[in-house]
Amino acid sequence: MTGDAGEALISLEISGGYTGQITRLELRRDGAARVQVGGRTLTGRVDPEQVDGLLGDLESVPAEPLPAEPAAAEPVTARQGPSGAAPKSPATAPGSMGAADLRSYQVHFGGRTLTADDASVPRDLSEPLRRLEELVRAVQLDAARGRDQKP
Amino acid sequence: MTSFDEGGETVVGNREQVASLCNFVPPYVQRVVAQHAEGDDAAERRLNDNARKRRTAALKECAATEDEPAVSRAALPTTGTSRREVYDSGNTDQQRVKLIRAEGGPETDDTDALNAYDNAGIVRKFYSEVLDRVSIDDRGMDLILNVHYGAKFNNAFWDGDEMTFGDGDGVIFSGFARSLDVVAHELAHGVTQFTSALVYSKESGALNEHYSDVFGTTITQWSDGSSPAHSDWLIGDEIMGPDLYGEALRSMAHPGTAYDNPIMGKDPQPAHYDNRYKGTADNGGVHINSGIPNRAFYLAAMEMGDTVEAARIWYHALHFLPVDATFVQAAAQIATSARILVKSGAATKGAAQIVRDAWRTVGVITP
C-alpha cells in the first residue's frame, strides 16, 4: 500500500446524473475524510481500517475489470415486450449512444485510476464504489447535523 | 438530391430547394390553428391522417438536411405500440428483472411502479395531444421503465432505449420514479435523441439537458393546469429527502438558487452566458450550463403567459438543431421557429421578439 497520513490515499469523483452534482471525496490513511460538493468543503473522519479495507479491495480490481454483469445472450429490445425478456444491464442497451443522466465515476488510488459510469460499473468495482458513496453520504450528513469532526 | 411526397406530388431537389420547403407548418401547429378557427371536431376532420403523415414525413426530411444530420434518428427502425412496461430491478444493477405493471394489465401495490406507470402515461398523452408526437421516437416506441434499480441509488437515467430509476438513499434523495418532472425529464432525453441527437457534451449537452427540463416543467404545468406565473419552476423538488425538504435541484426561474445547504453546497448553475462553466466535469457542465437556456425559456414563457406555447416553439426548433448545436445556434433557431409559428397563427404575435429578448437577457444574443 502507498501513501502516508498527509496525502489522499483514495479519491473519488462522481459527476453528472439527474442531479448533476459534482462530488469529490478524499480519504487519508488516518481516516480523515474530505468531501467537496457545491463549492463547499466538508470534513469528517472514518475508521482507518475502513480505508485500508477499501484500498485492498480497489487494488484487487484487475487492470481490465470484468464487465458490469453477464449480458443477456440476445439483448432484449423495447419492441419484444415481456415475453422472453431476460434481465440485462444498461451497458447492453441497444442504441445507447443517446444515453443521458448517467453518473460518471473516477477513482484514484495507488497511482491507478479507474473510471466507470452507471451503465458500466465493473463487477469488482461495484461494491467498493457503493462503500465510498456511503462514506460521502456519512460526511455530508454529519456536516448537516453539526457533527463535523474536523481533524 | 432528395425527394419526398408533398400534397400528392413527389418533390425532388437539392439541399437548398428542400430547405426552402422546410418552413411548412407542422401537424401539431395545423391543429392548433384549425382549432382556433373552428370547432375541434371540424378541425380534426380537416386534418386527415394522410395529410398529417405527409407533413410529418416532410418535417423529418427537412431536419435531415441540416449540416450535421442526426444519424441515429434516420437509422432507428419503427417500433411498437407506445405500451408501458414497468419492471422491478429488485435493487440489483439489472434492468427488466421482473415485469410488475404492463399496459392495461393488473394493478400492483408497488407505489413507485404505479407512479412511474401513471407519470409515463401523462407524458405520453402530452406528446400525443399537444405535439402530435407518437411516443419517444414518434414511431410508437414502447415505454420501458425500471424502478428500484441499485441499492440506495441516487439517480435516474435514460440509457438510449429505456428509463431507469433509483430509490434514492431516503435521506438526501427519495424515490425518483414518483416525480412527474423526473419521468418527463428522462423521457425527453429519448425525444431529443430521436429528434436532433444533440451530443451530450458541452453546449449541445447543456441544450440536451435544457430540453429535458423544458419538457419536465411544461408537462408538470400542463398536467396541473397551472399558469407560468403560478408555477414554481423548480426541477427535482419532489425527490429531495427529509434533510433537504423545501429545496430543489435546479431553478429555471433563478438558476443558482435552487439549494444552499451543508449537504449539497450551493447550486452552481449560472443564469448568464458570461458566467458559464468551462471545466470538464459533468461532460463539460451539461447540468450546470443548462441554467442559461433554462432561464431564457422561463423568461419567454412568462412573457407569453403560456408555457405550452413556448414549449411548442422550442419543440419546433429541436427538429432543426445540429447535433453539436451551440447556445447561439439554438437561440437563432428558436427565434426562427417562433417567427414561423407566429406567421402560421400558432403562436401569439410578438413571440419572436419575446424569444429574442429572453436570449438577449441571458447573454447568448448580444445587444
Side-chain angles (χ1 to χ4, degrees), chain B residues 11-91:
Chain B
V11 178
V12 180
N14 58 28
R15 170 174 293 192
E16 288 71 28
Q17 289 167 325
V18 171
S20 72
L21 295 171
C22 289
N23 286 351
F24 76 97
V25 182
Y28 63 92
V29 176
Q30 284 272 325
R31 189 169 60 189
V32 171
V33 174
Q35 284 170 353
H36 283 191
E38 47 194 308
D40 285 3
D41 291 342
E44 286 302 318
R45 282 197 298 275
R46 280 178 177 275
L47 284 173
N48 61 58
D49 285 346
N50 287 336
R52 188 175 289 120
K53 284 174 185 169
R54 278 201 305 274
R55 293 192 181 281
T56 301
L59 176 62
K60 289 170 181 169
E61 188 70 31
C62 288
T65 61
E66 294 296 311
D67 290 337
E68 299 286 344
V71 175
S72 66
R73 180 183 60 236
L76 284 167
T78 54
T79 52
T81 56
S82 308
R83 60 184 269 117
R84 291 165 289 178
E85 290 176 4
V86 183
Y87 291 84
D88 181 357
S89 286
N91 296 118

Side-chain angles (χ1 to χ4, degrees), chain A residues 15-18 21 38 40 69 76-78 81-82 87-88 96 99-103 118 137 140 144-145, chain B residues 85 94-96 142 153 155 158-159 162 169 181 185-186 189 200 209 243 250 260-261 263 266 282 287:
Chain A
S15 72
Y18 175 78
Q21 288 197 287
R40 290 196 182 170
E69 289 289 342
V76 180
T77 70
K88 68 182 189 64
S96 59
D101 284 340
L102 296 166
R103 289 182 302 179
D118 282 331
R137 185 158 41 241
Q140 287 177 290
R145 293 166 182 171
Chain B
E85 290 176 4
Q94 295 277 286
Q95 297 171 318
R96 307 188 198 189
D142 293 338
F153 190 69
N155 197 21
W158 165 259
D159 70 5
E162 59 195 81
D169 56 25
D181 79 43
H185 176 106
E186 295 309 328
H189 279 305
Y200 202 65
E209 273 302 316
D243 282 55
R250 293 182 282 280
D260 187 0
N261 61 64
I263 294 179
K266 190 175 183 315
D282 183 30
H287 294 86

Side-chain angles (χ1 to χ4, degrees), chain A residues 13-100:
Chain A
E13 180 181 287
I14 307 172
S15 72
Y18 175 78
T19 70
Q21 288 197 287
I22 301 168
T23 307
R24 296 183 181 90
L25 167 72
E26 288 181 6
L27 286 175
R28 294 184 190 177
R29 180 179 293 282
D30 64 359
R34 187 168 71 165
V35 171
Q36 291 177 292
V37 59
R40 290 196 182 170
T41 299
L42 314 173
T43 58
R45 184 168 290 282
V46 302
D47 184 345
E49 286 186 11
Q50 272 188 286
V51 181
D52 267 348
L54 268 167
L55 184 62
D57 289 347
L58 288 169
E59 286 176 334
S60 70
V61 177
E64 291 186 20
L66 293 169
E69 289 289 342
E74 292 184 13
V76 180
T77 70
R79 276 76 65 192
Q80 286 177 283
S83 62
K88 68 182 189 64
S89 67
T92 68
S96 59
M97 64 177 290

Side-chain angles (χ1 to χ4, degrees), chain B residues 109-326:
Chain B
D109 56 5
D110 185 310
T111 307
D112 284 328
L114 278 175
N115 286 335
Y117 182 86
D118 291 344
N119 287 333
I122 292 168
V123 176
R124 182 181 61 184
K125 187 177 180 185
F126 171 85
Y127 282 109
S128 172
E129 292 188 0
V130 177
L131 301 178
D132 205 18
R133 184 182 183 95
V134 184
S135 190
I136 295 171
D137 60 352
D138 203 14
R139 296 174 182 179
M141 184 176 181
D142 293 338
L143 307 179
I144 308 298
L145 306 104
N146 300 278
V147 299
H148 306 309
Y149 181 86
K152 297 182 179 178
F153 190 69
N154 271 340
N155 197 21
F157 61 84
W158 165 259
D159 70 5
D161 72 345
E162 59 195 81
M163 289 155 281
T164 300
F165 304 92
D167 293 335
D169 56 25
V171 179
I172 300 175
F173 297 112
S174 54
F176 286 71
R178 72 181 55 166
S179 166
L180 174 58
D181 79 43
V182 175
V183 173
H185 176 106
E186 295 309 328
L187 208 148
H189 279 305
V191 170
T192 296
Q193 174 185 334
F194 289 104
T195 306
S196 67
L198 287 167
V199 174
Y200 202 65
S201 176
K202 300 180 180 173
E203 288 196 14
S204 57
L207 288 167
N208 193 321
E209 273 302 316
H210 159 62
Y211 266 99
S212 279
D213 281 349
V214 162
F215 288 119
T217 201
T218 301
I219 292 169
T220 301
Q221 291 182 27
W222 174 78
S223 174
D224 293 346
S226 55
S227 70
H230 291 92
S231 297
D232 59 23
W233 293 92
L234 296 174
I235 301 293
D237 52 313
E238 292 174 324
I239 60 162
M240 306 305 274
D243 282 55
L244 297 172
Y245 183 78
E247 301 200 65
L249 290 172
R250 293 182 282 280
S251 167
M252 296 184 74
H254 304 290
T257 67
Y259 61 86
D260 187 0
N261 61 64
I263 294 179
M264 295 164 60
K266 190 175 183 315
D267 178 1
Q269 283 207 316
H272 194 279
Y273 193 64
D274 288 350
N275 301 321
R276 66 193 179 279
Y277 173 76
K278 296 175 183 173
T280 57
D282 183 30
N283 291 305
V286 299
H287 294 86
I288 301 172
N289 289 333
S290 58
I292 298 163
N294 275 358
R295 178 156 167 78
F297 179 80
Y298 159 79
L299 291 169
M302 286 291 284
E303 189 64 24
M304 290 175 192
D306 187 340
T307 305
V308 170
E309 181 177 328
R312 279 198 187 99
I313 294 168
W314 255 248
Y315 177 69
H316 183 277
L318 183 61
H319 292 82
F320 303 100
L321 293 180
V323 295
D324 57 351
T326 63

